[in-house]
Structures are given as C-alpha cells and as structure tokens.
Amino acid sequence: MPFIQTSLFSETLGMPTEINVVIPHLPDGDIRNKAKLPVLYLLHGLGGDHKEWTRQSSIERYAESKGVALVMPRADRSYYTDMKQGGAYFTYLSEELPELVSYLFPLSRRREDTFVAGISMGGYGAFKLALRCPERYAAAASLSGALDIVGRVNGPNGFQPGEAERIFGDPGRLQGSGDDLLALLPKAAKSGFLPRLYQCCGTEDFLYEGNRIFLRHAEQAGLKVAYEESPGEHEWGYWDRQARRMMEWLPCR
C-alpha cells in the first residue's frame, strides 16, 4: 500500500499543515479506468497527531482488506472546531480537505464512499462531522470519544489553562451550540438523513460515562447506534482491537 506523507497549504487555516494518506492496491484495470476509491478520514486524539494511527495500530492492514483509502489530517488540539482563538479546523476538515485530497489522489467524493472515524478527541470530531454534515458521510465511528463535551469542559478535562475558552469560547454558551453533540442529536433525528453510527468505549476508560450519556441521548432521540463496550482503558491496545471491528462494520461497497 502506498504511504504518502505530505505538507499542503490550507487557505482556511492560513498556514501549511500535514496529512498522511494510505492508498490500497489498485489492479491494473482499475488504474487504467481511473477508478475512484472509498475513503476513511481518521482523526487523532488530544495530544496526538496525524501519525499516530499508523504508528500505534494495524489500520493499514485492516484498510487494505476492505480496499479503503485512509486520510489522516493534523488538527493539533482544536477539538475539530472553528476555534474562537485559533484555526477554523471544522471548516478545514469538512470543506477544504476533501476538495484537496480528491484533487491529489484517486478518491471518490460520493457520500456512499466517504467515512470518518476517530479516537478520543477524534471520536468527538467524527460524530460532529456526521451530525452537522450528514449529506457528506455514509458512516461515522467514535472509539472512546469525548462525546459529552459540555460535561468535559465543566469537569476534569485535560485542557491546558484557558484552552477550553480559546477553543469554544464562553463555556456557558457551549451547551446547545453546534459543538454540543447532545444538542445535535434531536436535530439529526428530525432530519431523517443521518450516517450510520458506530460507538465503542472501554468500561475502565475515564470517558466511559460520557459515552453512556451520549448513547442515552441518541436512544431518546430515536437514533440507532451500533454500540459496543468491553473491558478496556484509554489506550491503543483497546483501540487497535476496536479499529478492526470498526473496519469490519464499515459499509464499504
């Protein structure tokens, strides 16, 4: 599988940024016919970067078996948000990046070929993309995601001093906003047009209760979520196991 590490200039962010891309093997006939590949955007966690999925897991091997390309962007500690003080990472991920990578690589732009997944902060980002841009993704997966963002900002959270305010602004205005996944759920349910959702979390994970809260809100909104929990902590041994299960679940053509 070709593995590409590249730097590109983002007009949205106003600066260069990095992505890693993995392209599965294409038969000669598909190359001649300029076949377009299904694509999975993989989002990193807080304190991680665009390299962690390939350094810490066997995701390349899992993707090869499904014939899916991987795009792994760098988003720093943005929570995949148009930050109040910082970059417009949500706009970059949802609008600019798909345009750039489909121009550079043989990737499909069809909704049925487009997926997003992430760990921890990236799980939050993946579900935010799915709930706010359902017309663009066929499926989204959260592995140990920080899904109850209001509870996380207002409790023990791992943010640096003043960081939550730089990302989200006034914490008092976060609940009910476009960055609050729990508030987005009933709106998504009413739309009747939602990607398939896969959610998992280890029962020893510090984000476990937040995952249960998200699941309850999803069920109350009438949304179906493929949910799994099992013994596990907030670490790559658990995520690698679940990444394989997530790839098996992914509705690829």
Side-chain angles (χ1 to χ4, degrees):
M1 298 176 70
F3 176 74
I4 301 103
Q5 304 176 77
T6 188
S7 176
L8 50 82
F9 187 85
S10 165
E11 298 286 347
T12 303
L13 300 176
M15 64 180 186
T17 187
E18 293 80 38
I19 60 170
N20 284 352
V21 178
V22 175
I23 303 294
H25 172 72
L26 278 172
D28 290 343
D30 286 348
I31 293 174
R32 288 194 298 272
N33 294 327
K34 297 182 179 180
K36 297 293 186 179
L37 291 163
V39 57
L40 170 62
Y41 292 87
L42 285 174
L43 310 185
H44 65 76
L46 186 70
D49 63 18
H50 57 297
K51 300 184 292 291
E52 69 175 351
W53 273 97
T54 51
R55 294 182 66 184
Q56 301 287 350
S57 78
S58 297
I59 193 67
E60 288 183 70
R61 183 158 49 86
Y62 307 150
E64 173 73 14
S65 67
K66 299 282 284 190
V68 177
L70 305 175
V71 174
M72 293 158 281
R74 175 180 173 180
D76 301 313
R77 295 172 65 90
S78 68
Y79 266 81
Y80 302 93
T81 295
D82 286 349
M83 301 170 68
K84 297 302 180 183
Q85 300 177 40
Y89 282 92
F90 183 83
T91 299
Y92 165 66
L93 265 294
S94 62
E95 298 181 12
E96 186 180 18
L97 183 62
E99 293 282 352
L100 289 170
V101 295
S102 63
Y103 173 75
L104 294 169
F105 305 104
L107 305 181
S108 173
R109 290 298 306 276
R110 301 191 308 168
R111 179 182 187 264
E112 56 265 37
D113 294 332
T114 306
F115 317 103
V116 61
I119 58 160
S120 194
M121 177 185 80
Y124 164 82
F127 274 7
K128 182 159 65 172
L129 285 163
L131 294 173
R132 286 176 56 173
C133 307
E135 73 283 359
R136 299 181 188 173
Y137 304 94
S142 167
L143 283 62
S144 307
L147 304 182
D148 177 17
I149 196 62
V150 175
R152 183 153 173 74
V153 165
N154 293 320
N157 53 42
F159 290 105
Q160 297 170 353
E163 186 175 36
E165 289 78 7
R166 291 193 294 273
I167 298 171
F168 300 106
D170 182 356
R173 297 185 177 181
L174 179 56
Q175 188 169 11
S177 73
D179 293 316
D180 178 5
L181 300 187
L182 305 187
L184 293 175
L185 283 168
K187 297 177 183 178
K190 290 177 183 177
S191 75
F193 187 69
L194 187 68
R196 293 178 61 183
L197 300 178
Y198 172 89
Q199 177 192 357
C200 66
C201 191
T203 52
E204 287 72 48
D205 195 307
F206 63 89
L207 293 177
Y208 174 71
E209 183 54 38
N211 273 263
R212 296 295 306 179
I213 289 171
F214 178 89
L215 182 64
R216 288 197 294 272
H217 277 74
E219 291 172 342
Q220 290 167 4
L223 295 176
K224 293 182 179 180
V225 180
Y227 177 79
E228 295 184 0
E229 65 176 57
S230 60
E233 299 182 1
H234 204 74
E235 51 84 29
W236 274 104
Y238 174 79
W239 295 328
D240 184 52
R241 293 193 299 272
Q242 293 303 129
R244 185 170 189 170
R245 293 183 61 80
M246 180 265 293
M247 291 299 297
E248 292 170 350
W249 165 87
L250 207 66
C252 296
R253 55 185 177 179

